[in-house]
Structures are given as structure tokens and as C-alpha cells.
Amino acid sequence: KAGVTQTPRYLIKTRGQQVTLSCSPISGHRSVSWYQQTPGQGLQFLFEYFSETQRNKGNFPGRFSGRQFSNSRSEMNVSTLELGDSALYLCASSLESGSGANVLTFGAGSRLTVL
Amino acid sequence: AQSVAQPEDQVNVAEGNPLTVKCTYSVSGNPYLFWYVQYPNRGLQFLLKYITGDNLVKGSYGFEAEFNKSQTSFHLKKPSALVSDSALYFCAVREGHDYKLSFGAGTTVTVRA
């Protein structure tokens, strides 16, 4: 069973550019969450999608956006990149049981460096 | 609002000794608690979770965690640490039907041979 796949694994951008990151969840998982990981701020929740609907959003500026497709694959986009956006972006998928006990399965992440 | 605290940035132990990584949580309702581990340049791997019932939860790789409601703690333990347990450990909490999983700052565990 394939795990959560994130692409690209590494990328370098310059300030002002935009970036799109992709996440393919485990087959059958309909919930996809995104997290930003930095040394200073740790793991910060970005947003969560289920059945193409954003159900929850973290405290990030509007430059951060995402979407989910009908096949549960998800993308996140960061526009007008800033140096502080350099981070490891992690995607996680889970089954939807509605109990709150869902286990997130994480991908290996996309390492973004903004110069 | 839900939150998690990991009071120790680093834990150092000798191989073969017991390992404990501390975690306290804050929620207004019933918590769902998780432990994850992260190795360098990798995503997070699930170790164990507490939902309800027995306060001692057993997980992967010989790890276990004890839920203490009165102290709002969920400490991760391993009776005999291995060098390969050296990694970054995260405690996380989800409250009820909240879709967001909130993570602690992480604790770096170093097990010396």
C-alpha cells in the first residue's frame, strides 16, 4: 500500500515568486491536512480538506491557499514568497471516522527554500 | 482551545536505560492524544494514541505512554532505550471532533552507546 506522496521533495525559489506543492494521499483516505514545520515555530497547522471542502484553517496569511480534487489529491500554493516561508511543508492523510481519533499518516515533506 | 506542552527540548540517556519524554495538554473536553516520531529529513511516524479506556497505551517499537487525567499528562516511555531511538518526538492533541491536530514543540532524544 503506497504511502502519502509529496512532490517536489526539494525546491528553491526567490522572494516574490509563487510555489505549488502537491500531495497524493493514501488510497481511500479522504481527509488531507497540511502543516508547516520550521525550527523556530515547530509544526503549525495550515488547513484541512475533506471531499474538496476546506473544513479548518490555521492562522496563516491569505498568501497560503490550498485545494483538494475529487480524487482526494491536494495542492497548496504560496504566493509572493517571503524569506520566512522557508520550511518543510508536510502533508498528512487520514480516514474520516468522525471520532477525532483519526491517525494522520504523513508524507516525507516538501523542503522549500526561499532566497 | 487545545494545546500541548513538551517541557524538555532535549533528553539524553544511555543505551539500555529507561527513556521518558514528557507531555502535558490542555483541552476543554475529552482529549485524543498522540505521539509521533520524526527522523532526519523524514515525515512524522505514528507511535501510539490514547482515545479512552486503559490509561497505559502500548505502541510501536516498544514504546508506551501513560495517560494521567488529574495531571493532564501523557508521558512517553520506553523501558530500555536503543541508539536507534535517537530522533525528534512530538506529542499531539485533538479535542473532540476538531479536525486540527495540535503539536507540541518537540523533544530531541539522544541515546548514547
Side-chain angles (χ1 to χ4, degrees):
Chain A
K1 191 175 186 181
V4 178
T5 302
Q6 292 189 245
T7 57
R9 287 293 313 279
Y10 301 91
L11 66 166
I12 300 174
K13 294 286 187 179
T14 57
R15 281 180 297 174
Q17 287 187 310
Q18 74 166 12
V19 65
T20 298
L21 308 178
S22 179
C23 173
S24 293
I26 290 174
S27 179
H29 285 192
R30 297 169 64 191
S31 171
V32 173
S33 301
W34 288 89
Y35 287 81
Q36 181 197 64
Q37 185 178 16
T38 59
Q41 299 297 319
L43 281 158
Q44 301 285 315
F45 173 76
L46 281 158
F47 22 66
E48 187 265 354
Y49 288 88
F50 178 78
S51 291
E52 303 178 67
T53 299
Q54 185 182 90
R55 298 194 297 189
N56 205 347
K57 189 178 191 308
N59 295 323
F60 279 82
R63 301 185 296 107
F64 291 80
S65 63
R67 58 178 176 169
Q68 186 181 33
F69 302 95
S70 59
N71 61 359
S72 294
R73 190 177 70 85
S74 178
E75 289 181 347
M76 66 163 285
N77 183 278
V78 187
S79 62
T80 320
L81 285 166
E82 301 176 359
L83 295 179
D85 296 333
S86 295
L88 181 65
Y89 290 88
L90 292 166
C91 169
S93 72
S94 69
L95 292 170
E96 173 54 36
S97 68
S99 72
N102 293 331
V103 173
L104 298 186
T105 301
F106 284 83
S110 293
R111 171 80 62 185
L112 170 64
T113 301
V114 181
L115 302 177
Chain B
Q2 57 193 38
S3 66
V4 172
Q6 293 180 242
E8 299 163 317
D9 292 336
Q10 290 202 347
V11 170
N12 298 305
V13 298
E15 189 173 35
N17 281 1
L19 169 63
T20 298
V21 186
K22 296 179 180 178
C23 170
T24 59
Y25 66 90
S26 175
V27 297
S28 56
N30 292 322
Y32 297 99
L33 295 156
F34 303 79
W35 276 101
Y36 284 83
V37 61
Q38 185 178 34
Y39 297 98
N41 299 314
R42 304 283 295 277
L44 277 67
Q45 296 178 28
F46 169 73
L47 284 177
L48 51 80
K49 68 178 179 181
Y50 170 83
I51 303 172
T52 186
D54 195 352
N55 290 342
L56 185 63
V57 179
K58 293 189 183 297
S60 307
Y61 313 118
F63 284 95
E64 59 188 29
E66 186 169 9
F67 173 70
N68 188 316
K69 188 173 183 178
S70 63
Q71 297 185 4
T72 61
S73 66
F74 189 56
H75 301 331
L76 180 71
K77 299 181 181 182
K78 185 170 184 179
S80 179
L82 301 173
V83 172
S84 57
D85 293 329
S86 299
L88 181 57
Y89 290 79
F90 290 97
C91 182
V93 66
R94 183 189 285 125
E95 181 177 1
H97 295 280
D98 196 327
Y99 304 118
K100 179 179 70 175
L101 192 60
S102 297
F103 287 87
T107 299
T108 299
V109 170
T110 301
V111 182
R112 59 185 185 277

